[in-house]
Structures are given as C-alpha cells and as structure tokens.
Amino acid sequence: MIRHLLSGADLDPATATLILDTAAEMATVAGREVKKLPALRGRTVVNLFYEDSTRTRISFEAAAKRLSADVINFTVKGSSVSKGESLKDTALTLQAMGADAVVIRHPAAGAPHRLANWVDGSVINAGDGTHEHPTQALLDAYTMRARLGRIDGLHVAIVGDVLHSRVARSNMLLLTTLGAKVTLVGPPTLIPIQADHALAPGIEVSYDLDAVLPESDVVMMLRVQRERMAASYFPSAREYTRRYGMDGPRMARLPEHAIVMHPGPINRGMEIMPAVADSPRSTIVEQVTNGVSVRMAVLYLLLGGK
Ligand code: NCD
C-alpha cells in the first residue's frame, strides 16, 4: 500500500480498485444504527485546512471518527499561522504530537508534497491550489461505478473551468488509469493549453458541449472558480451559461442512462440549473455521501488496515 495520497497519479489500477472495494464495505457501516468501527482506535488524524472547505473537511472528520480515530481539527484562523508560523514549523508541531495522518488543504500547489518530507505519518492531499484533489477523484469514480456498474470504457465529459480545477486534474489521471475516456469541454480560455497532447493518453478536448452530450455516459460539471480568476476568461456570466451551462434541454440530449455530477459547491443558475441539479440524474448528494466511505477506506488502508 502507498504511504501518502498526494496525486491521482499515485493510484495504479490495483490500488484504486482496492480503495473503491474497501469503500463499498465501509458504506455498509453508514447504514447501521451505530456508525462506528474500532479500526483506528488510538490513532490520531489531523485535519490541517489552510483554505475554506465545507464538504471535504467535514467528510474527513466524519470518516476518521467512524473509524474511532482521535481527530484534531486545525484551522488556520486562530492558530499560530496567523502569527506567521511557516508550514514546516507547523508540521514539526504536528509531528511532535504524534499525528498518524495529516489531511491537508492548502492554496499552494505542492504544499502536501513538502509536508510529506517533514512528517513520519501519512499525508493526504485534500486539495492543493489548482493542482490536485485525489480523494475527490476517488469518490467520483466510486459514484460512477455505483450508478453505472463500471468505469472501464465509460465516456466522461468534464465541463467548465478545467483550468482552475484540481478536481478535473485528479479525475483525468484516475479515470484514464481505470480505462475511461475523458473529454474536456469548455471555452478555450478555461482549458489548459497542453490538454490535447501532454496531459495523458485518452484525453480529448472539445469546445462544443452540445456535440459531446449525446455520446457521454457521465457529465461532470465544474464550478466556475471566480476566486482564482485575476482576469476575465469569458465575456459574461450569461454568455458562459448559454454555451456551457447544463440545463433541462441539454440534459435531454444525454443518453438515457447518463448521469450528471458536480463536486460542489455549485453556482446554481450559472454552470448548472436547478432543474438538473435537483433531478434524479444528478449525483451531487450521493457524491457527498460516498465521500465519507471513500475517505474511510483511504485512512484505513494508508494507516495499515488489513
Ligand atoms: C472542490 C474543491 O474545493 O476543489 N470542492 C470540493 O472539494 N468538493 C471544487 C470547487 O471548489 O469548485
């Protein structure tokens, strides 16, 4: 088993499949009255969040607690980070407290990789800048497998602000590893320039959402990340929605079995309309539920569970 989970590229097919299978077993715990396993009793998991988060932080906390680990939630506000303490010194403090796993979200790409050199425990990347978010890719893969029965051979369209999306990058890596075909769809300004060549084999690019929909098994909508945009990447929100927003008529162009995903938080009315987000084809809420099982599996396996 790998010691850290920093990137979608850390997951080979066997490791990814083991995590997804373990997550399916963990999901049975969620259906019980007492949602707890003793697997990580006496182990310490630190949640180190330098960036805002609702779903991911709560999900890791719930996952660690369901495995009976001791959980320390470290938020930057109110900590010595606001006094200027460096990531390295914070890491050494966590190390001194005997953290078995550190879950880190940080605005700088590569921060989790640096942290992994400074602590003895496992490091899990919960999002580093615009770079990667591997547990989100795993929970997305889990959701596809649960809804559609497989990942191999699926055609997945990843739509919208690919440029700023760590979710898209980790998904591209994991989904192609598991045999899916990926098409990135969005305005040219929001698709990374090297996407059609160097990124990974099995990845295509299209600027025409309506053309891609009829051949998609999965449409993964991405949030337009205005907080990461220093310049303007499209003429107006209305224009963006007209070309790349997922609405009822577009949903009707999908094959009957196709699903619509979104990692959340959603911009209702911008990249996804309420008629789609709240429809039975939408997996938005399931993705959140599955996230806990997947993170339980990751914590359990990284910390040496059998
Ligand atoms: C994403 C993130 O933070 O990278 N959200 C999440 O983890 N569920 C996507 C986003 O912020 O748009």
Side-chain angles (χ1 to χ4, degrees), residues 34-69:
V34 179
K35 298 179 180 42
K36 237 172 159 67
L37 292 175
L40 295 184
R41 194 154 53 199
R43 317 293 292 277
T44 301
V45 175
V46 177
N47 280 325
L48 184 60
F49 277 65
Y50 286 82
E51 225 186 52
D52 295 343
S53 172
T54 305
R55 273 157 281 269
T56 306
R57 196 182 59 73
I58 294 175
S59 181
F60 270 109
E61 183 175 350
K65 286 182 170 163
R66 281 187 193 172
L67 294 170
S68 307

Side-chain angles (χ1 to χ4, degrees), residues 51-57 105 126-129 132-133 135-136 139 164-168 221-225 227-228 262-267 271 288 295:
E51 225 186 52
D52 295 343
S53 172
T54 305
R55 273 157 281 269
T56 306
R57 196 182 59 73
R105 170 167 286 195
D128 59 331
E132 286 228 37
H133 192 356
T135 60
Q136 179 72 42
L139 79 87
H164 298 105
S165 179
R166 52 198 178 201
V167 175
M221 303 305 296
L222 299 172
R223 184 173 64 88
V224 176
Q225 301 197 28
E227 78 277 19
R228 299 194 202 274
H262 193 305
I266 65 177
N267 292 314
E271 72 266 355
V288 176
R295 287 168 178 131

Side-chain angles (χ1 to χ4, degrees), residues 17-259:
T17 305
L18 175 63
I19 293 172
L20 299 182
D21 290 345
T22 306
E25 286 176 42
M26 295 297 179
T28 63
V29 177
R32 296 187 198 159
E33 201 182 350
V34 179
K35 298 179 180 42
K36 237 172 159 67
L37 292 175
L40 295 184
R41 194 154 53 199
R43 317 293 292 277
T44 301
V45 175
V46 177
N47 280 325
L48 184 60
F49 277 65
Y50 286 82
E51 225 186 52
D52 295 343
S53 172
T54 305
R55 273 157 281 269
T56 306
R57 196 182 59 73
I58 294 175
S59 181
F60 270 109
E61 183 175 350
K65 286 182 170 163
R66 281 187 193 172
L67 294 170
S68 307
D70 294 318
V71 183
I72 299 174
N73 285 315
F74 176 103
T75 25
V76 169
K77 208 167 154 357
S79 75
S80 286
V81 171
S82 54
K83 299 179 187 165
E85 186 163 62
S86 70
L87 179 61
K88 179 160 190 180
D89 290 314
T90 303
L92 296 177
T93 303
L94 302 177
Q95 174 69 18
M97 288 178 184
D100 295 292
V102 181
V103 178
I104 178 172
R105 170 167 286 195
H106 198 284
H113 299 70
R114 298 301 301 273
L115 186 68
N117 293 325
W118 297 324
V119 296
D120 292 333
S122 294
V123 175
I124 301 171
N125 181 1
D128 59 331
T130 59
H131 187 221
E132 286 228 37
H133 192 356
T135 60
Q136 179 72 42
L138 281 164
L139 79 87
D140 291 338
Y142 182 96
T143 304
M144 289 176 210
R145 205 177 72 163
R147 275 277 191 129
L148 302 171
R150 70 197 165 107
I151 294 166
D152 188 31
L154 289 182
H155 184 193
V156 181
I158 302 183
V159 183
D161 186 359
V162 177
L163 185 66
H164 298 105
S165 179
R166 52 198 178 201
V167 175
R169 188 185 305 269
S170 291
N171 261 297
M172 281 185 251
L173 291 164
L174 180 63
L175 289 171
T176 50
T177 296
L178 294 175
K181 184 183 136 192
V182 174
T183 302
L184 306 177
V185 186
T189 47
L190 289 176
I191 303 285
I193 204 82
Q194 77 280 26
D196 29 358
H197 330 281
L199 229 45
I203 296 185
E204 288 174 13
V205 171
S206 169
Y207 306 121
D208 183 355
L209 177 58
D210 291 309
V212 173
L213 292 175
E215 56 196 54
S216 301
D217 302 298
V218 177
V219 184
M220 184 183 293
M221 303 305 296
L222 299 172
R223 184 173 64 88
V224 176
Q225 301 197 28
R226 288 172 181 274
E227 78 277 19
R228 299 194 202 274
M229 294 184 187
S232 95
Y233 286 83
F234 43 83
S236 69
R238 221 171 122 197
E239 168 70 8
Y240 181 90
T241 301
R242 199 176 65 75
R243 303 257 338 238
Y244 299 105
M246 181 57 83
D247 56 13
R250 286 207 163 105
M251 188 165 67
R253 294 176 63 86
L254 288 167
E256 196 140 359
H257 66 272
I259 56 173

